[in-house]
Amino acid sequence: MAVVEIRNLKKTFSGANAVESLNLTTEDGEFIVIVGPSGCGKSTTMRMIAGLEEVSGGSILIDGQDVTDLSPTERDVAMVFQNYALYPHLTVYDNMAFCLQVRKWPKARIDERVRAVAESLSLTPLLQRKPAALSGGQRQRVALGRAIVREPRIFIMDEPLSNLDAKLRVDMRGEITKLCRRLKVTTFYVTHDQLEALTMGHRIIVMRNGVAQQIDTPQRIYDEPVNRFVASFIGSPSMNFLEATVEGDGQILRGPGFQLRVSDRIARALKESSETKVVAGIRPEHLFPVADGDSAGGWVQGRIELVEPLGSQVMVQVMVGNSVIVAQFERQPGLDVGRAITLQHKTDAPHAFDVETERTVLAAAPAESPAALASA
Ligand code: ATP
């Protein structure tokens, strides 16, 4: 358990910025997920926190102590990587016991600890096997077990699930989340999978080109992305974007084949900024089909290009003006390629982004306080 403070953290490689001015203070026992596309600086950030990479600027404090120049061991950090890094010649038991033996723990204490952790990870029947005789998921559990036996202050996990198949990934995702919540060890977890980020993290850092774009809870990142990049990276299928003109005192976004009604908050921001053009953003899961006459609140009309069944749901590509957008809703009859379709969006669903800066138009308009609302 630890509070980690990251202050103005930077890393440059041969003059190029890999990580720029990262600032974050964790809660004790918080699960922080770092997510972003390949090369955005996720692993470099983790390696600096772990003490495997020298920082180019800034500092890292653990429970108030500056550890920027300390080794990984001195920081009391345990790491789990995608390649497991198990010792192939040692049994599961010895892999887990190894770091305790190095610390010269008494044998009986090591045995007690290893068996307790093995039991919690359902590894007891496998303790005498060697890594080669284990499945990918079992190996990953051993790697976790080896990190847990040490009772570290901090876990660092760098894409620990990326070698597993889809089903096992989902199972292990749940196991790791439950485990970390139970152990209350402050955890940094790197992934490029936005679903892992949304489901596992107390908070998510969304990175792009070495810069943290948004650090927030999964819900707020999904509901209130600060810019178009975060909006498109978090959420699956990705958010749809349509260039629109602002009409009706900021309340309506219009373009070829659509007319969207925005929330009062966005309308106020648009009115204040007096922008005439924005990029409208709508999540596919916020669109659903309606009969023509039902769509007074806002509508998107187009022709069905592709229908992809997803079991109980269906994903439909629709040509709207010159853009293809995606909608995802409950499976229903009559969705034929080439047919006209009218979609409505859920109340308050559309987002609006500045055409040039790509930032949300809400950036300059903080959420209304109750007092402000009362005086409005
Ligand atoms: P991935 O998801 O592909 O692992 P990442 O987000 O973890 O990517 P990093 O590995 O942190 O990205 O790399 C960030 C940037 O720093 C990249 O442009 C990478 O090429 C560069 N970089 C990383 N390590 C080094 C190094 N040792 N020397 C030079 N450049 C490096």
Side-chain angles (χ1 to χ4, degrees):
M1 294 216 283
V3 170
V4 180
E5 259 180 274
I6 296 170
R7 293 184 185 160
N8 222 7
L9 193 63
K10 290 191 187 79
K11 181 70 191 180
T12 46
F13 290 111
S14 325
N17 286 341
V19 177
E20 285 184 49
S21 302
L22 179 66
N23 286 288
L24 168 78
T25 302
T26 70
E27 300 278 330
D28 195 359
E30 191 170 3
F31 196 114
I32 302 280
V33 176
I34 308 180
V35 70
S38 184
C40 71
K42 303 182 294 292
S43 297
T44 305
T45 302
M46 294 290 256
R47 290 173 57 78
M48 287 192 284
I49 298 169
L52 297 169
E53 192 81 69
E54 244 180 65
V55 309
S56 306
S59 53
I60 300 165
L61 285 79
I62 301 178
D63 286 336
Q65 181 197 7
D66 191 333
V67 299
T68 318
D69 298 320
L70 297 187
S71 70
T73 326
E74 290 168 310
R75 294 180 192 202
D76 196 8
V77 167
M79 290 167 266
V80 183
F81 296 105
Q82 60 183 338
N83 59 8
Y84 320 131
L86 299 177
Y87 301 112
H89 58 289
L90 297 183
T91 61
V92 168
Y93 183 99
D94 288 330
N95 261 287
M96 287 169 66
F98 187 76
C99 68
L100 304 181
Q101 288 159 351
V102 170
R103 288 167 184 213
K104 308 223 176 322
W105 277 34
K107 241 180 160 177
R109 202 170 147 218
I110 294 178
D111 190 63
E112 190 186 336
R113 181 103 189 102
V114 168
R115 287 185 190 284
V117 172
E119 192 59 32
S120 74
L121 289 168
S122 310
L123 287 170
T124 305
L126 308 173
L127 280 174
Q128 293 317 314
R129 289 212 201 153
K130 295 213 172 133
L134 300 174
S135 72
Q138 290 165 340
R139 275 180 224 177
Q140 192 51 270
R141 288 216 298 276
V142 179
L144 274 175
R146 198 176 49 174
I148 294 166
V149 287
R150 290 177 39 193
E151 295 188 332
R153 286 199 292 177
I154 300 168
F155 282 137
I156 300 266
M157 304 192 188
D158 195 345
E159 306 242 14
L161 306 182
S162 57
N163 285 343
L164 305 181
D165 66 43
K167 165 139 185 9
L168 205 50
R169 262 186 100 112
V170 175
D171 293 348
M172 285 299 293
R173 189 171 85 198
E175 282 190 39
I176 291 180
T177 311
K178 280 189 276 182
L179 195 74
C180 290
R181 301 270 199 274
R182 181 158 55 82
L183 298 174
K184 297 194 175 67
V185 175
T186 307
T187 303
F188 289 88
Y189 185 102
V190 161
T191 180
H192 59 261
D193 181 335
Q194 57 87 34
L195 198 56
E196 269 177 26
L198 279 175
T199 51
M200 298 177 87
H202 287 119
R203 274 191 297 169
I204 302 174
I205 305 177
V206 184
M207 287 188 83
R208 181 195 200 187
N209 297 335
V211 179
Q213 306 288 303
Q214 187 167 2
I215 303 177
D216 225 324
T217 61
Q219 198 62 51
R220 278 180 56 99
I221 286 196
Y222 177 84
D223 289 340
E224 296 187 23
V226 294
N227 60 27
R228 194 171 155 169
F229 172 80
V230 174
S232 68
F233 196 80
I234 300 290
S236 177
S238 272
M239 188 183 279
N240 298 296
F241 298 104
L242 292 164
E243 289 195 9
T245 47
V246 180
E247 297 181 5
D249 252 1
Q251 289 174 346
I252 303 288
L253 306 181
R254 193 191 299 277
F258 68 91
Q259 174 182 310
L260 309 170
R261 181 170 284 276
V262 299
S263 66
D264 290 347
R265 206 171 144 213
I266 290 182
R268 264 196 307 276
L270 288 172
K271 194 175 167 192
E272 271 165 35
S273 70
S274 56
E275 283 295 345
T276 54
K277 290 208 178 304
V278 291
V279 174
I282 320 178
R283 296 203 180 276
E285 59 273 29
H286 291 163
L287 287 166
F288 56 95
V290 285
D292 265 354
D294 288 352
S295 48
W299 44 262
V300 179
Q301 281 174 337
R303 219 155 268 290
I304 297 177
E305 290 257 303
L306 181 69
V307 179
E308 294 176 286
L310 301 169
S312 69
Q313 296 239 311
V314 68
M315 198 154 76
V316 181
Q317 288 185 16
V318 181
M319 178 65 84
V320 179
N322 288 325
S323 312
V324 175
I325 66 155
V326 174
Q328 187 174 324
F329 44 81
E330 299 235 321
R331 193 183 58 191
Q332 49 195 268
L335 297 170
D336 303 317
V337 171
R339 250 178 98 158
I341 185 168
T342 301
L343 300 162
Q344 196 174 335
H345 60 78
K346 291 188 180 156
T347 321
D348 289 356
H351 296 256
F353 302 97
D354 186 279
V355 176
E356 265 148 43
T357 65
E358 301 198 340
R359 285 172 66 77
T360 169
V361 298
L362 292 174
E368 287 284 6
S369 68
L373 280 175
S375 65

